[in-house]
């Protein structure tokens, strides 16, 4: 399992508890990894834990018959009896930024769903890079919502991405990825300590060289 998949599995274990945040999560998943069929909305994801979470949240929202269409990679979940509130949010999310994205809790849950559907994270030992693979208006929405949370993101035509370590840590905090954030911070602290020691050694070496001269 890749590092990004392990992060998604950890995050998907935490279900939203309020109806508005359940809507925000499902809308985000469907916006980035969903398609419409004649009978349902179908979600296709690479991670089994994300598929299970979508199934659980759909049941909690009142969908009495969500179906796991494919139980192997890629995983597909069909939402067959979508509640009216969710259907309205899905439809309006394709056209403009909906009212529920103005709430802090829903905005953060939507960003969490976006990461679960199309996000990736580099191991902190290998560099600092968090990315959303998206296009068009969705890239702009991601960048706008991140900015509202004080997180700086860059973008191009097919992605929105974060390069600063402190912004990645802030993002992990706001979506509730506490365990991943702590692991990330441990690596950052170790790297900072190593840099401080190296600077001190370099300074002492320079002083000794001057003394010898």
């Amino acid at each position: 399992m890749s590092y990004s998949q392990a992060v998604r599995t950890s995050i998907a274990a935490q279900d939203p508890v309020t109806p508005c945040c359940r809507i925000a999560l499902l809308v985000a998943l469907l916006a980035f990894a969903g398609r419409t069929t004649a009978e349902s909305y179908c979600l296709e994801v690479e991670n089994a834990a994300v598929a299970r979470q979508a199934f659980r949240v759909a049941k909690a929202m009142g969908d009495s018959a969500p179906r796991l269409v494919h139980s192997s990679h890629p995983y597909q979940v069909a939402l067959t009896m979508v509640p009216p509130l969710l259907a309205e949010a899905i439809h309006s999310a394709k056209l403009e930024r909906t009212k529920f994205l103005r709430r802090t809790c829903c905005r953060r849950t939507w960003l969490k769903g976006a990461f679960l559907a199309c996000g990736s994270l580099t191991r902190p030992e290998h560099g600092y890079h968090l990315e959303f693979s998206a296009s068009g208006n969705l890239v702009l929405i991601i960048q706008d919502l991140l900015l509202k949370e004080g997180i700086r993101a860059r973008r191009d035509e097919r992605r929105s991405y974060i390069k600063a370590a402190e912004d990645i840590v802030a993002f992990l905090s706001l979506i509730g990825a506490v365990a991943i954030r702590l692991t990330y911070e441990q690596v950052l602290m170790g790297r900072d300590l190593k840099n401080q020691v190296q600077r001190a050694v370099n300074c002492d070496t320079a002083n000794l060289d001057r003394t010898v001269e």
Side-chain angles (χ1 to χ4, degrees), residues 16-67:
V17 296
T18 60
C20 63
C21 288
R22 290 172 185 150
I23 290 175
L25 181 69
L26 289 177
V27 167
L29 289 173
L30 289 167
F32 291 95
R35 55 186 173 84
T36 304
T37 67
E39 299 177 351
S40 65
Y41 296 100
C42 187
L43 173 68
E44 184 173 292
V45 292
E46 302 289 327
N47 187 286
V50 177
R52 290 194 296 268
Q53 182 179 51
F55 185 93
R56 293 193 305 267
V57 173
K59 288 282 286 186
M61 279 294 301
D63 189 335
S64 59
R67 295 184 294 112

Side-chain angles (χ1 to χ4, degrees), residues 62-198:
D63 189 335
S64 59
R67 295 184 294 112
L68 188 61
V69 181
H70 289 293
S71 58
S72 60
H73 182 273
Y75 304 92
Q76 293 185 6
V77 179
L79 310 182
T80 54
M81 298 183 66
V82 177
L85 284 176
L86 177 58
E88 180 182 351
I90 292 170
H91 177 71
S92 60
K94 295 176 182 178
L95 303 176
E96 60 183 356
R97 296 170 186 141
T98 52
K99 291 182 179 179
F100 69 83
L101 290 181
R102 299 173 189 170
R103 303 188 188 103
T104 299
C105 62
C106 296
R107 183 166 62 240
R108 294 177 176 181
T109 303
W110 191 92
L111 287 168
K112 172 182 175 178
F115 181 83
L116 290 174
C118 68
S120 62
L121 178 65
T122 302
R123 288 182 181 274
E125 299 92 338
H126 300 160
Y128 311 132
H129 187 84
L130 188 149
E131 178 178 312
F132 300 86
S133 298
S135 60
N137 194 45
L138 290 173
V139 172
L140 296 174
I141 293 175
I142 290 173
Q143 190 175 34
D144 183 45
L145 296 184
L146 288 173
L147 187 60
K148 290 182 185 298
E149 297 293 338
I151 297 175
R152 297 162 295 173
R154 305 174 188 175
R155 64 180 173 86
D156 55 32
E157 293 180 355
R158 294 180 295 176
R159 61 178 181 157
S160 179
Y161 57 96
I162 305 170
K163 298 293 289 185
E166 60 271 20
D167 286 328
I168 293 176
V169 169
F171 176 80
L172 294 173
S173 296
L174 72 88
I175 65 171
V178 177
I180 304 299
R181 187 204 72 196
L182 291 175
T183 301
Y184 216 89
E185 287 180 330
Q186 285 179 344
V187 173
L188 293 178
M189 289 173 62
R191 185 166 290 181
D192 287 343
L193 179 59
K194 182 179 178 180
N195 291 337
Q196 290 175 14
V197 170
Q198 188 62 53

